[in-house]
Amino acid sequence: MKIVRARDYDDMSRKVANIISAQVILKPDCVLGLATGSTPIGAYRQLAGWNQKGDCDFSQVSTYNLDEYRGLSHDDPQSYHYFMKTNFFDHVNIDQANTHVPDGSNPDADAACKEYDRIVAAAGYPDLQLLGIGNNGHIGFNEPDDHFSKGTHCVNLTESTIQANSRLFDRIEDVPRQAYTMGVQTIMFAKMIVIAANGSAKAQAVHDMCYGPVTPQCPASILQLHDNVVVVADEAALALCPAE
């Protein structure tokens, strides 16, 4: 793993956006794996600004998101389809037919997950996969478990994840209890992985991801076994990691 230190959230966002834009410039028809949540919003805004100035062209890019809540329609304001449109896709020149998010509106979990695995594999897996990391070390919605997951699957969200996501809902009762997520093995098929992290709440998870044992109790720790991983984190998120 390569660790890139950032001063704060804005600096982290610029550094992440720089890596993504370099990928797009070097391979205009690249496949990007994208993440949701509050962490990548700053990077998406930076990329949108560069796109609008003509510095980064997304017209040939295709994207595959990590996950989606089960039971939400694509136009639900809390869905990740909606999140990606409002925070990124509507602000860049990407062909939205080339953007993909698991179909949380499909009640048939097995069919929805198999179909998503099929299209991600057909695309050749991401050239660059962007990840956040949960307070409990989850990546995507792969929660701590007794094994590492493989393909896209339906997960029961842990209480800590439900609590963390409740800030985005009017009531905690409205937070979905299940989600469809790419599996850990699928994530590991990406050619390059970039993990963004900020804030002291992520410090233990970042330490365990980078320096702890490889264990499904910290799903992100599997990334130690990937040969092209860049961790971009601010000083607060790196507080428990040795200075390098």
Side-chain angles (χ1 to χ4, degrees):
M1 286 182 173
K2 177 178 175 59
I3 297 177
V4 176
R5 289 181 173 265
R7 293 184 304 277
D8 52 25
Y9 178 79
D10 289 340
D11 189 35
M12 179 207 73
S13 298
R14 283 191 297 272
K15 285 177 164 61
V16 169
N18 272 323
I19 297 170
I20 296 172
S21 65
Q23 173 66 72
V24 174
I25 291 166
L26 289 170
K27 186 180 180 184
D29 61 347
C30 65
V31 177
L32 298 179
L34 298 180
T36 52
S38 57
T39 302
I41 289 176
Y44 292 153
R45 287 175 178 163
Q46 182 71 75
L47 289 166
W50 289 338
N51 175 252
Q52 289 157 18
K53 291 196 301 181
D55 294 335
C56 190
D57 178 14
F58 289 90
S59 62
Q60 299 179 61
V61 170
S62 59
T63 68
Y64 294 82
N65 264 76
L66 285 165
D67 42 35
E68 176 62 284
Y69 288 120
R70 185 182 189 187
L72 298 189
S73 64
H74 297 179
D75 58 357
D76 189 302
Q78 303 298 348
S79 73
Y80 288 157
H81 278 83
Y82 189 91
F83 175 99
M84 291 305 304
K85 281 179 60 64
T86 57
N87 285 288
F88 189 44
F89 298 150
D90 285 348
H91 307 286
V92 296
N93 67 330
I94 197 167
D95 180 351
Q96 295 200 26
N98 293 332
T99 66
H100 307 85
V101 182
D103 186 5
S105 68
N106 186 347
D108 186 334
D110 186 59
C113 294
K114 285 181 177 177
E115 173 59 15
Y116 203 61
D117 277 342
R118 185 191 68 77
I119 65 172
V120 174
Y125 300 100
D127 293 293
L128 184 155
Q129 174 67 61
L130 176 63
L131 298 175
I133 182 171
N135 294 355
N136 61 2
H138 75 235
I139 48 176
F141 272 131
N142 293 284
E143 301 280 18
D145 206 338
D146 60 3
H147 66 282
F148 289 111
S149 59
K150 292 185 178 180
T152 304
H153 58 290
C154 182
V155 295
N156 296 315
L157 303 182
T158 64
E159 189 58 35
S160 65
T161 297
I162 291 168
Q163 290 286 343
N165 291 350
S166 65
R167 70 190 186 282
L168 304 174
F169 291 79
D170 292 334
R171 303 178 306 156
I172 193 168
E173 293 83 3
D174 297 333
V175 183
R177 266 49 183 176
Q178 291 184 313
Y180 299 151
T181 185
M182 274 190 197
V184 170
Q185 184 182 67
T186 307
I187 292 169
M188 291 288 283
F189 285 148
K191 299 172 184 68
M192 178 182 187
I193 296 174
V194 177
I195 309 128
N198 72 286
S200 58
K202 302 293 179 69
Q204 188 64 57
V206 169
H207 172 273
D208 293 349
M209 170 179 67
C210 297
Y211 298 101
V214 175
T215 170
Q217 289 300 310
C218 176
S221 66
I222 191 73
L223 300 176
Q224 294 177 38
L225 305 182
H226 194 285
D227 62 5
N228 191 8
V229 174
V230 179
V231 179
V232 185
D234 68 4
E235 294 293 345
L238 291 170
L240 300 180
C241 296
E244 297 180 359

Short mmCIF file of all heavy atoms in Angstrom, two decimals, residues 178-209:
data_model
loop_
_atom_site.label_atom_id
_atom_site.label_comp_id
_atom_site.label_asym_id
_atom_site.label_seq_id
_atom_site.Cartn_x
_atom_site.Cartn_y
_atom_site.Cartn_z
N GLN A 178 -30.99 -3.57 4.54
CA GLN A 178 -30.25 -4.45 3.64
C GLN A 178 -29.73 -3.66 2.43
O GLN A 178 -30.26 -2.59 2.11
CB GLN A 178 -31.15 -5.59 3.14
CG GLN A 178 -31.55 -6.61 4.20
CD GLN A 178 -32.34 -7.75 3.63
OE1 GLN A 178 -33.28 -7.53 2.86
NE2 GLN A 178 -31.97 -8.97 3.97
N ALA A 179 -28.71 -4.21 1.80
CA ALA A 179 -28.16 -3.59 0.60
C ALA A 179 -27.57 -4.67 -0.30
O ALA A 179 -27.24 -5.76 0.15
CB ALA A 179 -27.07 -2.58 0.97
N TYR A 180 -27.47 -4.35 -1.58
CA TYR A 180 -26.73 -5.18 -2.53
C TYR A 180 -25.34 -4.55 -2.67
O TYR A 180 -25.22 -3.34 -2.88
CB TYR A 180 -27.41 -5.20 -3.90
CG TYR A 180 -28.81 -5.76 -3.91
CD1 TYR A 180 -29.75 -5.34 -4.85
CD2 TYR A 180 -29.21 -6.74 -3.00
CE1 TYR A 180 -31.02 -5.85 -4.89
CE2 TYR A 180 -30.49 -7.26 -3.03
CZ TYR A 180 -31.40 -6.81 -3.97
OH TYR A 180 -32.68 -7.32 -4.00
N THR A 181 -24.31 -5.37 -2.58
CA THR A 181 -22.96 -4.83 -2.66
C THR A 181 -22.04 -5.74 -3.46
O THR A 181 -22.18 -6.97 -3.43
CB THR A 181 -22.37 -4.63 -1.25
OG1 THR A 181 -21.08 -4.01 -1.36
CG2 THR A 181 -22.21 -5.94 -0.49
N MET A 182 -21.12 -5.14 -4.20
CA MET A 182 -20.02 -5.91 -4.78
C MET A 182 -19.32 -6.66 -3.67
O MET A 182 -19.14 -6.13 -2.56
CB MET A 182 -18.99 -4.98 -5.42
CG MET A 182 -19.23 -4.55 -6.83
SD MET A 182 -17.71 -3.72 -7.40
CE MET A 182 -18.36 -2.87 -8.83
N GLY A 183 -18.88 -7.88 -3.96
CA GLY A 183 -18.13 -8.65 -2.98
C GLY A 183 -16.67 -8.22 -2.93
O GLY A 183 -16.16 -7.52 -3.80
N VAL A 184 -16.00 -8.66 -1.88
CA VAL A 184 -14.58 -8.33 -1.70
C VAL A 184 -13.76 -8.86 -2.87
O VAL A 184 -12.85 -8.17 -3.37
CB VAL A 184 -14.08 -8.90 -0.36
CG1 VAL A 184 -12.56 -8.78 -0.25
CG2 VAL A 184 -14.75 -8.17 0.81
N GLN A 185 -14.04 -10.08 -3.31
CA GLN A 185 -13.28 -10.64 -4.43
C GLN A 185 -13.44 -9.77 -5.67
O GLN A 185 -12.46 -9.52 -6.39
CB GLN A 185 -13.73 -12.07 -4.72
CG GLN A 185 -12.92 -12.74 -5.83
CD GLN A 185 -13.42 -14.14 -6.11
OE1 GLN A 185 -14.52 -14.33 -6.61
NE2 GLN A 185 -12.61 -15.13 -5.79
N THR A 186 -14.65 -9.31 -5.96
CA THR A 186 -14.88 -8.45 -7.11
C THR A 186 -14.07 -7.17 -6.99
O THR A 186 -13.44 -6.72 -7.97
CB THR A 186 -16.38 -8.11 -7.24
OG1 THR A 186 -17.14 -9.32 -7.25
CG2 THR A 186 -16.66 -7.33 -8.51
N ILE A 187 -14.07 -6.56 -5.82
CA ILE A 187 -13.28 -5.35 -5.60
C ILE A 187 -11.81 -5.61 -5.87
O ILE A 187 -11.12 -4.80 -6.50
CB ILE A 187 -13.50 -4.83 -4.16
CG1 ILE A 187 -14.93 -4.32 -3.98
CG2 ILE A 187 -12.48 -3.74 -3.81
CD1 ILE A 187 -15.32 -4.03 -2.55
N MET A 188 -11.33 -6.77 -5.45
CA MET A 188 -9.90 -7.09 -5.61
C MET A 188 -9.52 -7.31 -7.08
O MET A 188 -8.34 -7.28 -7.42
CB MET A 188 -9.55 -8.32 -4.78
CG MET A 188 -9.60 -8.09 -3.28
SD MET A 188 -8.24 -7.06 -2.67
CE MET A 188 -6.89 -8.26 -2.68
N PHE A 189 -10.50 -7.52 -7.96
CA PHE A 189 -10.20 -7.68 -9.39
C PHE A 189 -9.86 -6.34 -10.05
O PHE A 189 -9.38 -6.32 -11.18
CB PHE A 189 -11.37 -8.32 -10.12
CG PHE A 189 -11.53 -9.80 -9.88
CD1 PHE A 189 -12.78 -10.40 -9.89
CD2 PHE A 189 -10.43 -10.61 -9.68
CE1 PHE A 189 -12.93 -11.77 -9.69
CE2 PHE A 189 -10.56 -11.98 -9.47
CZ PHE A 189 -11.81 -12.56 -9.47
N ALA A 190 -10.13 -5.22 -9.38
CA ALA A 190 -9.79 -3.92 -9.96
C ALA A 190 -8.28 -3.81 -10.16
O ALA A 190 -7.49 -4.32 -9.35
CB ALA A 190 -10.28 -2.80 -9.06
N LYS A 191 -7.87 -3.13 -11.22
CA LYS A 191 -6.44 -3.01 -11.50
C LYS A 191 -5.74 -2.07 -10.53
O LYS A 191 -4.56 -2.24 -10.21
CB LYS A 191 -6.25 -2.56 -12.94
CG LYS A 191 -6.84 -3.55 -13.96
CD LYS A 191 -6.82 -2.97 -15.37
CE LYS A 191 -7.50 -3.93 -16.35
NZ LYS A 191 -8.96 -4.04 -16.12
N MET A 192 -6.45 -1.05 -10.08
CA MET A 192 -5.93 -0.10 -9.09
C MET A 192 -7.05 0.23 -8.13
O MET A 192 -8.22 0.33 -8.53
CB MET A 192 -5.43 1.18 -9.77
CG MET A 192 -4.92 2.23 -8.82
SD MET A 192 -4.41 3.74 -9.71
CE MET A 192 -3.67 4.68 -8.36
N ILE A 193 -6.72 0.39 -6.86
CA ILE A 193 -7.70 0.74 -5.84
C ILE A 193 -7.24 2.00 -5.11
O ILE A 193 -6.07 2.09 -4.70
CB ILE A 193 -7.90 -0.42 -4.83
CG1 ILE A 193 -8.49 -1.65 -5.55
CG2 ILE A 193 -8.81 0.01 -3.69
CD1 ILE A 193 -8.58 -2.89 -4.68
N VAL A 194 -8.14 2.96 -4.98
CA VAL A 194 -7.87 4.19 -4.25
C VAL A 194 -8.85 4.27 -3.09
O VAL A 194 -10.06 4.20 -3.31
CB VAL A 194 -8.01 5.43 -5.15
CG1 VAL A 194 -7.80 6.71 -4.34
CG2 VAL A 194 -7.04 5.36 -6.32
N ILE A 195 -8.35 4.37 -1.87
CA ILE A 195 -9.20 4.47 -0.69
C ILE A 195 -9.08 5.86 -0.12
O ILE A 195 -7.97 6.34 0.13
CB ILE A 195 -8.81 3.47 0.40
CG1 ILE A 195 -8.71 2.07 -0.16
CG2 ILE A 195 -9.82 3.48 1.55
CD1 ILE A 195 -7.41 1.43 0.18
N ALA A 196 -10.21 6.54 0.07
CA ALA A 196 -10.23 7.87 0.66
C ALA A 196 -10.78 7.77 2.09
O ALA A 196 -11.75 7.05 2.34
CB ALA A 196 -11.11 8.80 -0.17
N ALA A 197 -10.15 8.49 3.01
CA ALA A 197 -10.60 8.48 4.40
C ALA A 197 -10.29 9.82 5.04
O ALA A 197 -9.23 10.40 4.81
CB ALA A 197 -9.92 7.36 5.19
N ASN A 198 -11.22 10.30 5.83
CA ASN A 198 -10.98 11.54 6.57
C ASN A 198 -11.66 11.49 7.93
O ASN A 198 -12.67 10.81 8.10
CB ASN A 198 -11.47 12.76 5.77
CG ASN A 198 -12.99 12.84 5.72
OD1 ASN A 198 -13.63 12.07 5.02
ND2 ASN A 198 -13.56 13.76 6.46
N GLY A 199 -11.07 12.19 8.87
CA GLY A 199 -11.67 12.33 10.19
C GLY A 199 -11.18 11.30 11.20
O GLY A 199 -10.83 10.18 10.85
N SER A 200 -11.20 11.70 12.46
CA SER A 200 -10.69 10.84 13.53
C SER A 200 -11.53 9.59 13.72
O SER A 200 -11.02 8.58 14.22
CB SER A 200 -10.63 11.63 14.84
OG SER A 200 -11.90 12.14 15.17
N ALA A 201 -12.81 9.62 13.33
CA ALA A 201 -13.66 8.44 13.49
C ALA A 201 -13.17 7.27 12.65
O ALA A 201 -13.50 6.11 12.94
CB ALA A 201 -15.11 8.78 13.14
N LYS A 202 -12.39 7.55 11.62
CA LYS A 202 -11.88 6.50 10.74
C LYS A 202 -10.48 6.02 11.14
O LYS A 202 -9.93 5.11 10.50
CB LYS A 202 -11.85 6.99 9.28
CG LYS A 202 -13.20 7.44 8.74
CD LYS A 202 -14.16 6.27 8.60
CE LYS A 202 -15.52 6.70 8.09
NZ LYS A 202 -15.51 7.15 6.70
N ALA A 203 -9.88 6.62 12.16
CA ALA A 203 -8.48 6.35 12.46
C ALA A 203 -8.20 4.89 12.78
O ALA A 203 -7.22 4.31 12.28
CB ALA A 203 -8.01 7.25 13.62
N GLN A 204 -9.03 4.26 13.60
CA GLN A 204 -8.78 2.86 13.95
C GLN A 204 -8.95 1.96 12.74
O GLN A 204 -8.15 1.05 12.51
CB GLN A 204 -9.73 2.41 15.07
CG GLN A 204 -9.40 1.03 15.63
CD GLN A 204 -8.04 1.00 16.31
OE1 GLN A 204 -7.79 1.77 17.23
NE2 GLN A 204 -7.16 0.10 15.87
N ALA A 205 -9.97 2.22 11.95
CA ALA A 205 -10.20 1.39 10.76
C ALA A 205 -9.05 1.54 9.76
O ALA A 205 -8.61 0.55 9.16
CB ALA A 205 -11.53 1.78 10.10
N VAL A 206 -8.55 2.75 9.59
CA VAL A 206 -7.44 2.97 8.66
C VAL A 206 -6.19 2.25 9.17
O VAL A 206 -5.47 1.59 8.39
CB VAL A 206 -7.18 4.47 8.46
CG1 VAL A 206 -5.87 4.71 7.71
CG2 VAL A 206 -8.35 5.11 7.70
N HIS A 207 -5.93 2.35 10.45
CA HIS A 207 -4.78 1.64 11.02
C HIS A 207 -4.91 0.14 10.80
O HIS A 207 -3.97 -0.53 10.34
CB HIS A 207 -4.65 1.92 12.51
CG HIS A 207 -3.61 1.07 13.19
ND1 HIS A 207 -3.90 -0.19 13.69
CD2 HIS A 207 -2.29 1.27 13.42
CE1 HIS A 207 -2.80 -0.72 14.19
NE2 HIS A 207 -1.82 0.14 14.04
N ASP A 208 -6.07 -0.42 11.10
CA ASP A 208 -6.26 -1.86 10.98
C ASP A 208 -6.19 -2.30 9.52
O ASP A 208 -5.69 -3.39 9.21
CB ASP A 208 -7.60 -2.27 11.59
CG ASP A 208 -7.63 -2.07 13.10
OD1 ASP A 208 -6.55 -1.83 13.70
OD2 ASP A 208 -8.73 -2.13 13.68
N MET A 209 -6.68 -1.47 8.61
CA MET A 209 -6.61 -1.78 7.19
C MET A 209 -5.16 -1.87 6.72
O MET A 209 -4.79 -2.77 5.97
CB MET A 209 -7.33 -0.70 6.38
CG MET A 209 -7.13 -0.78 4.88
SD MET A 209 -8.02 0.51 3.98
CE MET A 209 -7.17 2.00 4.52
#
